[in-house]
Amino acid sequence: MSMAASASCISAIATCVPSSSSKSSYASSSSVTLFPPQRGSTRRWSCRAMVQQTVQGAPAAYAKEMERLSAKESLLLAFKDAGGFEALVSGKTTEWQKIDVNERITGLERLNPTPRPTTSPFLEGRWNFEWFGSGSPGLFAARFIFEIFPSSLANLSKMDVFIKDGNAKITANMRLLNSIESKVILSTKLSVEGPLRMKEEYVEGVLVSPTIIEESVPEQFKGALGQATNALQQLPAPIRDPVASGLKVPLSGSFQRLFMISYLDEEILIIRNTAGIPEVLTRLDAAPSSLGDSNPEYVS
């Protein structure tokens, strides 16, 4: 083989083999095939470099998604093992269960699939509170109820929040004497402070008039309950109607907080306050069909 032909082959091989400093997400394999010269050709040999590339990104993405789904299932099972919402708000959750749940929360946050959760359409909808960390507003409210009323008289059955168009409505469902159902509704305004950070300003609190399940009222309380109902009906309309519709308490300017969304997908929302205390919520309604930013702009 002549020196010119050899140099030509070496040059072809060099152009086919990727540089070791390349950061491409593709793995390449190279092969060189030498072909005999065609009849009448002045060159004795010709060379051709052939490159085969195989995409390696898809298996890695699939493995990460499987890891995320497994972490979600593990967290939900940890909630169940810890006794659920009732055990949490009544203080029956053990220290071991708390650290186990917190460990799984941290593991799921590491796999957050939403880079800008504050502007994601997945944030809107109805969410159910599953977990409060120590010191969170939700747990504080729940403990406050249990301190006023013994667990035999009152219990907090569930809490949920509806988020839409920059507003949130938190509803706490409480049952007294296992026969009187009442709700406390807290309206707040949400503003975007960054891709992960939001500010929540409390606007109004409403104590909804109780709904009485008469067949569940204990016999010793039926007389007093009847008297209270009659007294309410005899009140003047300007007083009776507001009481019937619920007691409203304006809260504008009285309380606000900053929080960070550390995880968001179509089923689970995790937020942390300025002290790093987590709150975990699960979706109650249908999620949006696609993941993305509904409004990529925000005011910092």
Side-chain angles (χ1 to χ4, degrees):
M1 184 186 302
S2 67
M3 291 294 293
S6 299
S8 177
C9 287
I10 293 172
S11 176
I13 294 172
T15 59
C16 294
V17 179
S19 171
S20 60
S21 63
S22 173
K23 296 182 179 180
S24 172
S25 60
Y26 299 94
S28 304
S29 59
S30 305
S31 62
V32 178
T33 306
L34 298 180
F35 295 90
Q38 297 180 354
R39 185 182 300 273
S41 173
T42 57
R43 292 182 61 180
R44 298 184 60 188
W45 295 92
S46 64
C47 59
R48 179 185 301 169
M50 302 171 62
V51 178
Q52 297 177 343
Q53 293 181 329
T54 304
V55 177
Q56 298 295 327
Y62 177 80
K64 185 175 182 179
E65 179 65 9
M66 291 300 99
E67 182 183 6
R68 186 177 71 88
L69 295 177
S70 176
K72 285 174 59 175
E73 182 179 2
S74 176
L75 178 58
L76 295 176
L77 288 175
F79 290 151
K80 184 177 180 181
D81 292 341
F85 184 84
E86 182 179 353
L88 179 65
V89 298
S90 60
K92 297 179 181 179
T93 306
T94 66
E95 293 299 317
W96 187 92
Q97 290 168 334
K98 291 178 183 178
I99 195 65
D100 181 57
V101 169
N102 284 321
E103 181 181 7
R104 295 170 195 269
I105 290 174
T106 303
L108 184 58
E109 288 172 324
R110 180 175 55 86
L111 303 169
N112 179 30
T114 311
R116 299 174 64 90
T118 57
T119 53
S120 169
F122 276 2
L123 180 60
E124 295 195 338
R126 189 172 298 278
W127 299 87
N128 185 58
F129 284 88
E130 297 283 354
W131 183 264
F132 309 105
S134 176
S136 71
L139 186 58
F140 176 81
R143 292 286 173 82
F144 179 74
I145 292 174
F146 279 96
E147 288 176 1
I148 296 177
F149 302 101
S151 59
S152 58
L153 297 180
N155 62 78
L156 187 65
S157 57
K158 67 174 183 176
M159 288 181 64
D160 62 73
V161 57
F162 180 71
I163 302 174
K164 183 69 175 179
D165 298 332
N167 296 288
K169 184 174 289 187
I170 305 168
T171 302
N173 295 269
M174 185 174 62
R175 175 170 287 195
L176 302 171
L177 299 172
N178 201 34
S179 57
I180 302 175
E181 294 182 347
S182 183
K183 294 181 180 180
V184 178
I185 300 176
L186 190 64
S187 299
T188 69
K189 179 182 178 182
L190 302 175
S191 55
V192 177
E193 297 285 319
L196 302 177
R197 189 174 67 248
M198 300 191 79
K199 181 171 70 174
E200 183 177 35
E201 300 174 89
Y202 287 58
V203 176
E204 183 183 64
V206 179
L207 177 60
V208 179
S209 295
T211 301
I212 301 172
I213 308 174
E214 295 185 3
E215 59 271 17
S216 302
V217 176
E219 289 295 332
Q220 62 269 31
F221 292 104
K222 286 186 177 181
L225 180 60
Q227 293 176 9
T229 303
N230 292 333
L232 179 61
Q233 295 298 325
Q234 294 174 7
L235 290 174
I239 300 177
R240 183 182 65 246
D241 294 343
V243 170
S245 62
L247 178 63
K248 297 182 180 181
V249 180
L251 299 172
S252 296
S254 61
F255 183 75
Q256 65 181 29
R257 67 166 180 160
L258 290 172
F259 65 85
M260 177 187 70
I261 301 178
S262 57
Y263 182 91
L264 174 66
D265 66 12
E266 70 280 6
E267 296 176 323
I268 291 180
L269 167 64
I270 302 177
I271 66 176
R272 289 184 180 269
N273 62 16
T274 53
I277 306 300
E279 297 177 14
V280 184
L281 302 90
T282 54
R283 186 178 294 278
L284 289 173
D285 55 7
S289 58
S290 62
L291 179 64
D293 288 350
S294 59
N295 180 13
E297 300 296 330
Y298 62 90
V299 179
S300 61

